[in-house]
Amino acid sequence: MSNTIIKIVNLKRDFKVGSETVHALRGITFSIEEGEFVTIMGTSGSGKSTLLNILGCLDTPTSGDYFLDGISVREMGKNDRATLRNRKIGFVFQSYNLLPKTTALENVELPLLYNPSVSSRERREKAIRALEEVGLHDRINHRSNQMSGGQQQRVAIARAIVNDPVILLADEATGNLDTRTSFEILTLFQRLHDEGRTIIFVTHNPEIAQFSSRNIVLRDGHITEDKTNSSVASAKEVLATLPKENE
Amino acid sequence: MNYGNLIRIALRALNNNKFRGFLTMLGIIIGVASVIAMLAIGQGSKRSIREQISEMGSNMIMIHPGQGRFGGVRQSAADMETLKIRDYESIRREVRLIDNCSPSVNASGQVIYGANNSPTTMYGINRDYLDIRKLVVEKGEMFTDHDIATSAKVCVVGTTIVKELFTNGEDPLGKTIRFDKTPFRIIGVLESKGYNSMGQDQDDLILAPYTTVQKRILAITHLQGIYASAVTEEASEPAIEEISAILRQNHNLAADEEDDFNVRSQEELSSMLSSTTELMTVLLACIAGISLLVGGIGIMNIMYVSVTERTREIGLRMSIGAKGRHILFQFLIEAVIISVTGGIIGVLLGIGASMVIKYGIGWPVYIQLYSVVLSFLVCTITGIFFGWYPAQKASNLNPIDAIRYE
């Protein structure tokens, strides 16, 4: 039996807006095992961003329990959560969020700079390896403003995997990209998944669900659907059917 | 946490945003440099005036007869004959805070040598006068106490007299010139002092024993003035008080009677003359203060804006594991580097500008250490504070809010 990476139990998150209380999450329970590729879908307001923030240890639940790799996050302070993010989580954002005017290598090195146990040589080696893994070995010293959206997102993915996280959290990671580049990025995610990484991909685009191994649908703070996808489509194959950019 | 890494992070951030860093620095550079240059100009002119005054003599105290009345008629001070040799002698004997003292009687007249003549003033004084007025005998020698005792007809002349009378380059030493009708033998020539701040030729003078001038030229027994020099600048005021007390006693003045003499120190003269420069220094200091203020506000703005525009960056750094204090430390290092570098460049530029003003325009310039330290500290502390303050706020941000900040 594989390891449980994420276990959440009856998770609730309330926001106070003025005198009203908004229930963004109304009791969610699920577990994610090592090696799963989960898409979390929902329309805006469904609570998926709130869930992602909690999963990413950026936010804490109002009630309920959250275990990341066996560690309870609920009672953790800000600084401990920062360390947890640094060691166990890789984030990929919709808008890449690379440091401006900074080279790909420096961007990828960034998480390791906040980890004092990594030596500078190790940091450089790991960053180069991560960039090679996303296919950017020839763009190592390009600055973020000299790269296309797809390349920037690859740098962001390399940055997310450089610390060897237990979970990769993608927030609408293809949202800013055209169809072809989206499939390229999805192909990359699928490859990372094949290599054994656990991925959570949050999106509102229902098409993406077919490429993941499991799909969770949220609506109004509840899980309305949670099913395993037995016939995972290959993003690489779809990519092959798309017309080439220069045609 | 490894602070080496944080410093590396800060250096990378600065290196990747050189232009922004430069703009921030510019405010500091201009602020520091302008303050240094302006205070240097103000101080320079003040000092140049003070120097010109001290050229006239060191810690000089001047005693002149004051106004008096004879039977209700006010007399002009110059006509008063209240100062006597006895006054000079008791001042010399009793006042401890002075180191030089000389009687003074002046006569204006025409000096003649051969076919040349020139209007000038003959000062009847003693040997101490040289030290009081900072005069130096360049050639020959000063007359002696014996010359004074015998009212010898010898004199020491200024270079202007030499120029006017000895037009063919003759050696003036040993030559006899006539002042009015009295012959004087030249025994010394003074070193040239040039013009003073009021445009007077300080070399147009003849020095002779006061006894000679009193008896042979003016035919008077009183003194027109007494010059003295205080041992130090601080001693001037108490010395003046002592002198006044002695003179009042000598002149048998009752407690309710006005002084029949005037004692003035050089400080009074210099404060009178430097009031204008004082005003200018205040004005320049005001301008410098305003530029410091404007510079400070500039630093404040750009620091604040630069941290605000980097909110997303802060959010990102936090989401990948930076703690609040890492963010704070990074921004603090950036602010320190920018402020200190800017401050140093500003100091160099300020000193450079002062030098350009000094040697290029020729204004008197004096850079004071305190103006350098003050402007450097004010600007760098402003820079560091306003780098720290928004960073402090940013480090307390919720990473979710920071990363979604538009």
Side-chain angles (χ1 to χ4, degrees):
Chain A
M1 188 61 197
S2 55
N3 282 331
T4 302
I5 298 294
I6 282 174
K7 185 180 174 199
I8 56 179
V9 183
N10 198 20
L11 197 72
K12 288 181 182 168
R13 181 70 171 101
D14 301 332
F15 292 103
K16 286 219 155 43
V17 181
S19 54
E20 273 179 77
T21 304
V22 176
H23 303 283
L25 297 175
R26 299 162 184 260
I28 286 179
T29 305
F30 66 84
S31 303
I32 292 174
E33 305 297 315
E34 188 177 356
E36 280 194 277
F37 185 168
V38 183
T39 43
I40 295 177
M41 292 204 333
T43 52
S44 65
S46 60
K48 63 182 196 304
S49 290
T50 309
L51 179 61
L52 182 82
N53 289 339
I54 292 173
L55 290 176
C57 302
L58 291 168
D59 197 5
T60 44
T62 311
S63 71
D65 275 318
Y66 171 30
F67 298 94
L68 174 66
D69 204 23
I71 303 161
S72 173
V73 180
R74 205 169 105 71
E75 301 296 326
M76 269 191 175
K78 256 168 108 174
N79 284 340
D80 291 334
R81 278 190 282 129
T83 309
L84 199 64
R85 288 198 292 273
N86 187 248
R87 305 302 193 302
K88 298 212 180 272
I89 297 171
F91 277 103
V92 181
F93 301 95
Q94 178 174 5
S95 48
Y96 332 130
N97 278 321
L98 299 183
L99 293 185
K101 299 178 195 167
T102 306
T103 63
L105 185 65
E106 283 177 4
N107 266 297
V108 176
E109 280 186 340
L110 202 59
L112 301 179
L113 273 170
Y114 289 105
N115 184 349
S117 60
V118 181
S119 75
S120 59
R121 225 183 87 199
E122 204 182 338
R123 182 168 65 229
R124 202 183 151 80
E125 282 169 2
K126 280 189 169 192
I128 291 173
R129 217 179 305 137
L131 279 166
E132 279 168 356
E133 206 169 332
V134 298
L136 283 178
H137 48 276
D138 55 341
R139 292 277 192 285
I140 282 174
N141 290 315
H142 280 55
R143 293 179 183 276
S144 43
N145 46 338
Q146 297 165 332
M147 286 186 280
S148 69
Q151 286 167 340
Q152 288 191 51
Q153 193 60 298
R154 280 165 193 271
V155 175
I157 293 169
R159 182 179 63 195
I161 61 174
V162 74
N163 57 347
D164 219 5
V166 296
I167 182 104
L168 200 56
L169 288 175
D171 181 10
E172 298 276 14
T174 57
N176 277 8
L177 302 170
D178 59 61
T179 317
R180 190 181 164 81
T181 320
S182 294
F183 279 109
E184 282 173 4
I185 295 297
L186 272 178
T187 308
L188 178 58
F189 271 111
Q190 280 195 328
R191 208 184 74 220
L192 293 170
H193 174 228
D194 290 342
E195 287 164 8
R197 292 189 189 275
T198 316
I199 299 168
I200 296 179
F201 198 112
V202 176
T203 181
H204 69 275
N205 182 358
E207 279 177 42
I208 290 171
Q210 54 182 315
F211 300 101
S212 68
S213 64
R214 180 177 167 193
N215 185 29
I216 295 172
V217 180
L218 283 182
R219 171 175 270 179
D220 299 332
H222 293 287
I223 292 180
T224 55
E225 198 184 300
D226 181 357
K227 61 180 181 195
T228 315
N229 184 4
S230 50
S231 57
V232 181
S234 166
K236 198 175 179 181
E237 283 167 18
V238 179
L239 189 63
T241 66
L242 288 171
K244 288 253 161 72
E245 245 171 64
N246 50 2
E247 280 174 349
Chain B
M1 179 68 190
N2 184 341
Y3 286 97
N5 273 357
L6 284 179
I7 291 169
R8 187 171 291 122
I9 289 169
L11 287 176
R12 277 187 184 178
L14 282 178
N15 189 44
N16 289 329
N17 286 288
K18 291 191 193 79
F19 190 65
R20 185 176 61 203
F22 169 73
L23 283 183
T24 316
M25 260 185 225
L26 205 59
I28 300 175
I29 292 172
I30 291 174
V32 172
S34 62
V35 170
I36 290 175
M38 283 190 209
L39 288 179
I41 294 171
Q43 278 302 324
S45 50
K46 208 156 90 179
R47 283 176 74 96
S48 99
I49 287 206
R50 188 171 295 165
E51 260 166 43
Q52 283 169 355
I53 287 165
S54 77
E55 255 171 42
M56 291 163 55
S58 59
N59 313 324
M60 191 165 62
I61 295 169
M62 293 157 285
I63 305 150
H64 289 287
Q67 291 178 337
R69 293 161 197 260
F70 280 120
V73 182
R74 239 175 213 286
Q75 307 286 312
S76 108
D79 293 339
M80 296 299 291
E81 301 182 1
T82 50
L83 286 180
K84 307 284 186 199
I85 283 291
R86 197 170 75 92
D87 294 326
Y88 156 70
E89 281 163 355
S90 34
I91 288 171
R92 180 164 204 108
R93 198 170 52 236
E94 289 166 38
V95 182
R96 287 170 193 285
L97 292 169
I98 60 172
D99 50 9
N100 289 299
C101 188
S102 168
S104 158
V105 280
N106 312 333
S108 298
Q110 211 70 10
V111 61
I112 305 160
Y113 178 75
N116 300 322
N117 70 90
S118 170
T120 189
T121 309
M122 177 173 272
Y123 293 85
I125 41 88
N126 70 9
R127 291 172 65 90
D128 277 1
Y129 192 74
L130 292 184
D131 285 332
I132 298 171
R133 298 302 292 257
K134 290 198 169 158
L135 298 168
V136 176
V137 179
E138 195 178 37
K139 279 192 286 184
E141 55 197 8
M142 186 61 177
F143 47 78
T144 60
D145 289 340
H146 178 73
D147 292 329
I148 293 171
T150 57
S151 310
K153 289 183 275 187
V154 291
C155 69
V156 173
V157 295
T159 50
T160 302
I161 303 291
V162 175
K163 224 178 293 163
E164 295 291 334
L165 298 185
F166 301 93
T167 43
N168 52 4
E170 255 180 288
D171 182 6
L173 286 181
K175 301 285 182 313
T176 301
I177 54 172
R178 276 188 298 134
F179 185 80
D180 285 348
K181 281 164 186 143
T182 317
F184 282 86
R185 189 162 54 85
I186 298 175
I187 57 166
V189 177
L190 293 170
E191 198 180 271
S192 174
K193 282 187 89 174
Y195 288 82
N196 71 8
S197 54
M198 288 168 290
Q200 288 169 323
D201 181 359
Q202 299 180 93
D203 299 321
D204 183 12
L205 80 172
I206 301 176
L207 302 182
Y210 68 95
T211 48
T212 315
V213 177
Q214 267 185 322
K215 289 176 193 163
R216 300 185 193 273
I217 306 219
L218 296 171
I220 55 172
T221 53
H222 66 273
L223 298 177
Q224 290 168 338
I226 299 169
Y227 287 84
S229 64
V231 284
T232 60
E233 207 178 309
E234 293 71 42
S236 289
E237 280 307 308
I240 287 172
E241 278 165 34
E242 272 189 76
I243 291 168
S244 300
I246 289 166
L247 290 179
R248 287 187 70 86
Q249 200 188 350
N250 279 2
H251 297 178
N252 297 320
L253 295 177
D256 59 341
E257 272 181 285
E258 276 179 56
D259 287 348
D260 59 358
F261 54 87
N262 268 316
V263 188
R264 283 192 300 154
S265 70
Q266 202 176 359
E267 271 69 62
E268 287 173 52
L269 190 66
S270 69
S271 69
M272 193 174 73
L273 281 175
S274 59
S275 63
T276 324
T277 23
E278 205 71 58
L279 192 71
M280 199 174 92
T281 313
V282 169
L283 197 72
L284 285 172
C286 284
I287 297 171
I290 291 168
S291 48
L292 209 57
L293 188 74
V294 171
I297 292 170
I299 296 161
M300 231 157 80
N301 276 328
I302 199 141
M303 280 289 188
Y304 193 84
V305 168
S306 107
V307 174
T308 310
E309 74 161 21
R310 290 166 73 184
T311 306
R312 278 174 73 99
E313 177 191 327
I314 292 166
L316 168 80
R317 286 178 186 277
M318 287 179 134
S319 71
I320 60 171
K323 293 170 189 165
R325 63 168 189 274
H326 298 158
I327 301 293
L328 179 60
F329 193 72
Q330 176 196 340
F331 278 81
L332 199 57
I333 291 174
E334 288 186 30
V336 167
I337 292 174
I338 284 183
S339 305
V340 171
T341 314
I344 290 170
I345 296 175
V347 166
L348 295 180
L349 196 71
I351 292 173
S354 305
M355 289 302 133
V356 168
I357 291 166
K358 187 172 183 179
Y359 296 110
I361 309 178
W363 288 4
V365 157
Y366 182 75
I367 298 165
Q368 275 184 311
L369 184 66
Y370 93 87
S371 71
V372 174
V373 173
L374 179 85
S375 55
F376 179 80
L377 284 184
V378 168
C379 282
T380 47
I381 289 172
T382 316
I384 292 168
F385 179 76
F386 285 101
W388 167 80
Y389 176 70
Q392 162 70 33
K393 275 172 66 182
S395 70
N396 284 326
L397 275 177
N398 186 343
I400 307 165
D401 298 334
I403 205 159
R404 301 230 157 80
Y405 184 87
E406 296 294 336

